[in-house]
Amino acid sequence: MSDRDQSLPHTVSGASNSGDALPPIGEHARQYETVRNAHETELIEDYVELIGDLIQHRGEARAADIASRMGVSQATVSKMIRRLNELGLVTSKPYRSLFLTEDGQKMAEVSRTRHDIVLHFLRALGVNDHTARIDAEGMEHHVSNETLSIMQRFIDQQTQR
Amino acid sequence: MSDRDQSLPHTVSGASNSGDALPPIGEHARQYETVRNAHETELIEDYVELIGDLIQHRGEARAADIASRMGVSQATVSKMIRRLNELGLVTSKPYRSLFLTEDGQKMAEVSRTRHDIVLHFLRALGVNDHTARIDAEGMEHHVSNETLSIMQRFIDQQTQR
DNA sequence: CATAATTGTTAGCCAAGGCTAAACTATTTG
DNA sequence: CAAATAGTTTAGCCTTGGCTAACAATTATG
């Protein structure tokens, strides 16, 4: 709580969208579909990204570390690792630490880049570091490449002055 | 696809976060926890928000409309409505259209406001309308009130000039 | 006004992502 | 080097949010 509990702004400048017509049905459905799809990959990406970070910063990724950092039980991690294996994102021998496959490394890097852009963008916007970290974690999977590019441009403008 | 498929920016100005140390374990876990919690309420909020929109724009919310706009089967909607009922967010009589309870209306309004702020913000940033709509749909549930306030301020600055 | 078409519900299936408890493996240490 | 501790996996359970198919109610129409 704390940082995230502040008075919610109650207005939007100019015409509120509430007055706008609803989008055409097909388009509307596609918007929700995009979100549902993002959902399916989100967790996977979070695990892969975290595993990449652990390898980079700690030299290895142990299940126990993943569990404590993700805030879930070891059993959950174990099950997830099996999935990542099936998806060809990690290789693992029982009771040994993990490695990312080439695909896994690629995914980790893309996720990491996106994450960083969103985080830097929020900070450049003026959001405090702690909140920015939390928001970035949730937002990263829902930001299109178009928006990412624009965020990057914004960061550049802010820092080059 | 289309709008969302563009070259991913590969750099972040200044120090990449990848070089930063990992957050302390407890904090890290809390970040993920926040995202997991958001997840649980996301869908609920989407349904409630959509029901509110339908009532406002169409005069009523029928299950069939919800199904086609969400892009899911009617059976799924029916089941979901039962849950919303249990949660005290809607009232419904079998084979009749839905109404939001007071709590439901409150939730719909908060969601709508957040959604609008994020959407307007993205447009003010320069994101094209179509992409902005998709991104807003996914992002809205992960934006803290602090960030929303800052987005609102940004919108005001952009439009008041 | 009887029947067809539309809309809503129920039953029963599935996969994902949590959990706890118990079993197994590896590592550390007395 | 044996026993204790730490780490990992498996089994089995639960809830959510999808689905299809079958049935029920409502509404529209010939």
Side-chain angles (χ1 to χ4, degrees):
Chain A
M1 289 294 118
S2 70
D3 288 284
R4 293 178 63 89
D5 260 346
Q6 303 190 352
S7 65
L8 174 69
H10 283 298
T11 56
V12 168
S13 76
S16 154
N17 193 52
S18 322
D20 293 9
L22 292 165
I25 294 176
E27 195 183 320
H28 208 169
R30 244 170 286 122
Q31 284 175 27
Y32 287 114
E33 204 201 344
T34 303
V35 176
R36 269 198 306 277
N37 291 344
H39 258 218
E40 284 172 24
T41 48
E42 245 173 83
L43 237 207
I44 305 283
E45 288 178 355
D46 281 343
Y47 273 89
V48 169
E49 189 181 335
L50 176 56
I51 291 167
D53 285 353
L54 285 171
I55 290 173
Q56 186 173 329
H57 292 290
R58 294 272 187 283
E60 62 172 2
R62 324 287 313 293
D65 291 355
I66 299 172
S68 60
R69 291 201 171 262
M70 295 281 289
V72 301
S73 74
Q74 288 189 323
T76 297
V77 170
S78 202
K79 202 192 263 191
M80 201 62 190
I81 289 170
R82 206 186 317 143
R83 278 204 72 209
L84 298 179
N85 239 307
E86 286 161 11
L87 293 171
L89 295 166
V90 309
T91 56
S92 63
K93 290 180 203 152
Y95 300 99
R96 293 271 101 108
S97 66
L98 305 172
F99 299 91
L100 292 174
T101 62
E102 231 176 273
D103 281 2
Q105 285 178 36
K106 232 173 282 168
M107 179 181 281
E109 197 195 312
V110 170
S111 289
R112 166 60 38 212
T113 303
R114 272 195 330 208
H115 191 130
D116 286 352
I117 292 175
V118 174
L119 178 58
H120 281 82
F121 171 77
L122 288 174
R123 292 204 280 229
L125 242 199
V127 179
N128 95 55
D129 186 78
H130 181 239
T131 310
R133 282 177 183 278
I134 295 173
D135 288 5
E137 190 60 58
M139 286 168 62
E140 62 170 317
H141 305 283
H142 301 278
V143 178
S144 64
N145 287 339
E146 181 192 338
T147 301
L148 237 23
S149 297
I150 291 173
M151 286 181 170
Q152 178 66 62
R153 214 177 306 145
F154 183 88
I155 296 167
D156 291 345
Q157 284 170 6
Q158 292 299 302
T159 50
Q160 247 135 250
R161 218 182 324 137
Chain B
M1 291 295 122
S2 67
D3 286 285
R4 295 178 61 89
D5 262 346
Q6 302 190 353
S7 64
L8 174 68
H10 282 299
T11 55
V12 166
S13 75
S16 154
N17 193 55
S18 321
D20 292 10
L22 291 165
I25 294 178
E27 196 182 321
H28 209 168
R30 246 171 284 122
Q31 285 174 26
Y32 287 114
E33 202 201 345
T34 303
V35 176
R36 269 198 307 278
N37 290 344
H39 258 220
E40 284 172 24
T41 49
E42 247 174 82
L43 236 207
I44 304 282
E45 287 179 355
D46 280 344
Y47 272 89
V48 168
E49 188 180 338
L50 177 55
I51 290 167
D53 285 354
L54 286 170
I55 290 173
Q56 186 174 331
H57 292 289
R58 292 275 186 281
E60 60 172 4
R62 323 290 309 298
D65 291 355
I66 298 172
S68 60
R69 290 199 172 263
M70 295 282 287
V72 301
S73 73
Q74 287 189 321
T76 297
V77 171
S78 204
K79 202 192 262 193
M80 201 60 190
I81 290 171
R82 206 186 317 143
R83 275 206 72 208
L84 298 179
N85 240 306
E86 285 161 11
L87 294 172
L89 295 167
V90 309
T91 57
S92 63
K93 289 178 207 157
Y95 299 100
R96 294 271 100 109
S97 65
L98 305 173
F99 299 91
L100 292 174
T101 61
E102 231 176 272
D103 281 1
Q105 286 178 34
K106 232 174 283 170
M107 179 182 281
E109 197 196 312
V110 169
S111 289
R112 168 55 44 209
T113 303
R114 273 196 328 210
H115 191 131
D116 286 353
I117 291 174
V118 174
L119 178 58
H120 281 83
F121 172 77
L122 289 173
R123 293 204 281 228
L125 242 200
V127 178
N128 96 54
D129 186 77
H130 181 239
T131 310
R133 282 177 183 280
I134 295 173
D135 288 5
E137 191 59 58
M139 288 168 62
E140 61 169 318
H141 306 283
H142 301 278
V143 179
S144 63
N145 288 339
E146 181 190 338
T147 301
L148 278 177
S149 298
I150 292 174
M151 287 181 169
Q152 177 67 61
R153 215 178 304 145
F154 184 88
I155 296 167
D156 292 345
Q157 283 169 7
Q158 291 299 300
T159 51
Q160 248 137 249
R161 219 181 327 135

